């Protein structure tokens, strides 16, 4: 998953958990910590023989955390796969004038919802992809016609693989 700490994005993967002993990968660096989180927001973290005691404030139902440690406050947001997918989609060119719809990451095509020759309106769902156990809807960036569909339901696709070709309306 991705987390945002202030303006910094970090890729975080839980590698293992055994009781309070946790191993995480943060941007390719592995951290082995012993962590206890208490219901009042207090936290105790042991890492490389050092003890840290951050205070964590979390709003129920949100993915935002305020962490205070050593008189500093850190705003942390847990970003879901949909947010990551949308950023990758923008980088892949779907959000600009490019008429190719490409997979933002290795994915499984859950459902193709349009056919070749079909006209679609801006923000109409073209297909549903699944990546990292999260489903994402691929929407038309503007009014267009589907010229070519290069995938089918249940296909596994690679990052940057062409999925559809669109013709934008003037």
């Amino acid at each position: 998953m991705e987390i945002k700490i202030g303006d910094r994005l970090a890729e975080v993967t839980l590698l293992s958990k055994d009781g309070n002993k946790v191993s995480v990968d943060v941007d390719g660096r592995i951290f082995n910590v012993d962590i206890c989180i208490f219901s009042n927001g207090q936290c105790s973290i042991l890492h490389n023989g050092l003890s840290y005691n951050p205070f964590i404030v979390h709003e129920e139902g949100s993915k935002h955390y305020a962490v205070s440690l050593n008189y500093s406050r850190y705003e942390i947001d847990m970003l879901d796969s949909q947010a990551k997918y949308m950023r990758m989609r923008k980088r892949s060119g779907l959000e600009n004038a490019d008429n190719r719809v490409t997979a933002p990451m290795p994915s499984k095509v859950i459902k193709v919802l349009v056919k070749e020759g079909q006209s679609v309106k801006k923000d109409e769902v073209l297909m549903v992809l699944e990546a990292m156990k999260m489903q994402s809807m691929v929407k038309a960036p503007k009014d267009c016609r589907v010229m070519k569909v290069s995938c089918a339901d249940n296909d596994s696709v690679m990052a940057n693989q062409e999925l559809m070709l669109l013709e934008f309306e003037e």
Side-chain angles (χ1 to χ4, degrees), residues 26-42:
V26 180
D27 290 336
R29 291 182 56 200
I30 296 175
F31 295 89
N32 296 303
V33 298
D34 193 313
I35 184 167
C36 290
I37 301 174
F38 306 101
S39 61
N40 67 355
Q42 282 296 130

